[in-house]
Amino acid sequence: MLVRDAMSTMVLTIGPDHTLRQAARLMSARHVGAAVVLDVDADGIGILTERDILNSLGSGQNPDYETAGRHTTTDVVYAAPAWTLQDAAEAMAHGGFRHLIVLDDREPVGIVSVRDIIRCWAPSRRHSTTLAAG
Protein backbone atom coordinates (compact mmCIF):
# COMPACT_ATOMS: atom_id res chain seq x y z
CA MET A 1 0.00 0.00 0.00
CA LEU A 2 1.20 3.51 -0.80
CA VAL A 3 1.27 6.78 1.12
CA ARG A 4 -1.33 8.22 -1.28
CA ASP A 5 -3.74 5.50 -0.13
CA ALA A 6 -3.35 6.33 3.57
CA MET A 7 -2.71 10.07 3.72
CA SER A 8 -5.23 12.69 4.70
CA THR A 9 -5.78 15.12 1.86
CA MET A 10 -7.57 17.63 4.08
CA VAL A 11 -4.45 19.54 5.09
CA LEU A 12 -4.72 22.27 7.70
CA THR A 13 -2.51 25.12 6.55
CA ILE A 14 -1.64 28.05 8.80
CA GLY A 15 0.77 30.96 8.70
CA PRO A 16 3.73 31.54 10.99
CA ASP A 17 1.94 34.46 12.69
CA HIS A 18 -0.93 32.33 14.01
CA THR A 19 -0.77 32.12 17.79
CA LEU A 20 -0.46 28.70 19.33
CA ARG A 21 -3.97 29.09 20.73
CA GLN A 22 -5.34 29.80 17.24
CA ALA A 23 -3.44 26.83 15.84
CA ALA A 24 -4.69 24.57 18.65
CA ARG A 25 -8.29 25.64 18.05
CA LEU A 26 -8.03 24.94 14.32
CA MET A 27 -6.33 21.59 14.89
CA SER A 28 -8.95 20.60 17.46
CA ALA A 29 -11.85 21.64 15.23
CA ARG A 30 -10.48 19.54 12.37
CA HIS A 31 -9.42 16.62 14.59
CA VAL A 32 -5.83 16.70 13.32
CA GLY A 33 -2.54 16.44 15.17
CA ALA A 34 -0.48 18.62 12.84
CA ALA A 35 -0.70 21.70 10.67
CA VAL A 36 1.39 22.68 7.68
CA VAL A 37 2.95 26.09 8.27
CA LEU A 38 3.48 28.06 5.07
CA ASP A 39 5.82 31.02 5.32
CA VAL A 40 5.56 32.93 2.06
CA ASP A 41 8.32 35.35 3.12
CA ALA A 42 10.78 32.53 3.82
CA ASP A 43 9.49 30.40 0.93
CA GLY A 44 9.33 27.42 3.21
CA ILE A 45 7.08 24.67 4.41
CA GLY A 46 7.16 23.57 8.03
CA ILE A 47 5.04 21.57 10.43
CA LEU A 48 3.51 22.39 13.80
CA THR A 49 2.34 19.42 15.83
CA GLU A 50 0.29 18.96 18.96
CA ARG A 51 3.53 18.02 20.71
CA ASP A 52 5.06 21.40 19.79
CA ILE A 53 2.08 23.15 21.40
CA LEU A 54 2.23 20.87 24.45
CA ASN A 55 5.96 21.53 24.92
CA SER A 56 5.35 25.29 24.79
CA LEU A 57 2.54 25.10 27.35
CA GLY A 58 4.55 22.75 29.55
CA SER A 59 7.39 25.25 29.71
CA GLY A 60 5.01 28.01 30.86
CA GLN A 61 4.77 29.97 27.61
CA ASN A 62 1.59 31.90 26.85
CA PRO A 63 -0.30 30.40 23.87
CA ASP A 64 -1.85 33.79 23.12
CA TYR A 65 1.58 35.32 22.46
CA GLU A 66 3.65 32.43 21.17
CA THR A 67 3.43 32.07 17.40
CA ALA A 68 3.42 28.99 15.22
CA GLY A 69 6.53 30.31 13.49
CA ARG A 70 8.53 30.16 16.71
CA HIS A 71 7.60 26.51 17.24
CA THR A 72 7.52 25.20 13.70
CA THR A 73 9.82 22.41 12.63
CA THR A 74 11.42 23.58 9.40
CA ASP A 75 13.94 20.77 8.97
CA VAL A 76 11.17 18.55 7.64
CA VAL A 77 11.36 15.09 6.09
CA TYR A 78 8.80 14.92 3.31
CA ALA A 79 7.11 11.88 1.81
CA ALA A 80 6.06 11.34 -1.78
CA PRO A 81 2.64 9.94 -2.65
CA ALA A 82 4.31 6.92 -4.28
CA TRP A 83 6.27 5.93 -1.16
CA THR A 84 5.21 2.67 0.41
CA LEU A 85 3.77 2.76 3.91
CA GLN A 86 6.85 0.83 4.97
CA ASP A 87 9.04 3.69 3.64
CA ALA A 88 6.96 6.21 5.59
CA ALA A 89 7.02 4.14 8.79
CA GLU A 90 10.80 3.74 8.55
CA ALA A 91 11.28 7.49 8.01
CA MET A 92 9.12 8.23 11.05
CA ALA A 93 10.89 5.68 13.23
CA HIS A 94 14.32 6.91 12.13
CA GLY A 95 13.43 10.58 12.65
CA GLY A 96 11.40 10.13 15.83
CA PHE A 97 8.27 11.88 14.57
CA ARG A 98 4.66 10.92 13.93
CA HIS A 99 3.67 12.97 10.87
CA LEU A 100 5.03 13.39 7.35
CA ILE A 101 3.99 16.13 4.96
CA VAL A 102 3.34 14.60 1.56
CA LEU A 103 4.65 16.67 -1.35
CA ASP A 104 3.83 16.31 -5.02
CA ASP A 105 5.78 18.60 -7.32
CA ARG A 106 6.95 20.59 -4.25
CA GLU A 107 3.37 21.29 -3.14
CA PRO A 108 1.78 19.84 0.03
CA VAL A 109 -0.97 17.41 -1.02
CA GLY A 110 -1.47 15.55 2.23
CA ILE A 111 -0.22 14.45 5.62
CA VAL A 112 0.35 10.87 6.66
CA SER A 113 0.51 9.99 10.33
CA VAL A 114 1.43 6.92 12.32
CA ARG A 115 -2.29 6.51 12.99
CA ASP A 116 -3.02 6.49 9.25
CA ILE A 117 -0.47 3.74 8.73
CA ILE A 118 -1.83 1.67 11.61
CA ARG A 119 -5.36 1.98 10.23
CA CYS A 120 -4.17 0.57 6.93
CA TRP A 121 -2.10 -2.23 8.42
CA ALA A 122 -4.39 -3.30 11.26
CA PRO A 123 -7.19 -4.94 9.21
CA SER A 124 -4.79 -7.22 7.36
CA ARG A 125 -2.98 -8.13 10.58
CA ARG A 126 -6.28 -8.95 12.32
CA HIS A 127 -7.33 -11.10 9.38
CA SER A 128 -4.04 -12.99 9.28
CA THR A 129 -4.18 -13.52 13.09
CA THR A 130 -7.69 -14.94 12.79
CA LEU A 131 -6.56 -17.31 10.04
CA ALA A 132 -3.55 -18.46 12.03
CA ALA A 133 -5.66 -19.12 15.13
CA GLY A 134 -8.28 -21.09 13.16
Side-chain angles (χ1 to χ4, degrees):
M1 188 170 274
L2 302 177
V3 165
R4 74 169 54 93
D5 302 319
M7 71 182 189
S8 171
T9 57
M10 302 260 294
V11 179
L12 173 60
T13 303
I14 63 173
D17 294 331
H18 277 80
T19 66
L20 291 186
R21 184 175 308 278
Q22 290 170 323
R25 282 186 179 141
L26 291 168
M27 291 164 68
S28 177
R30 289 179 174 84
H31 306 286
V32 297
V36 172
V37 181
L38 293 179
D39 189 347
V40 293
D41 294 331
D43 193 36
I45 299 172
I47 191 166
L48 179 75
T49 67
E50 57 200 356
R51 184 169 297 181
D52 296 324
I53 295 170
L54 185 65
N55 287 341
S56 174
L57 292 174
S59 67
Q61 296 176 335
N62 186 330
D64 292 314
Y65 296 107
E66 291 298 314
T67 62
R70 290 193 59 203
H71 297 275
T72 296
T73 300
T74 55
D75 184 21
V76 179
V77 175
Y78 302 103
W83 276 21
T84 66
L85 293 186
Q86 184 69 35
D87 293 335
E90 288 173 5
M92 289 177 189
H94 184 268
F97 42 81
R98 298 178 293 162
H99 299 87
L100 286 170
I101 298 172
V102 183
L103 295 184
D104 191 14
D105 197 28
R106 299 172 55 170
E107 293 294 321
V109 295
I111 291 185
V112 66
S113 69
V114 168
R115 181 175 292 167
D116 295 326
I117 293 170
I118 291 170
R119 282 184 188 140
C120 290
W121 283 350
S124 64
R125 293 201 192 284
R126 250 186 279 128
H127 180 69
S128 63
T129 303
T130 304
L131 292 176

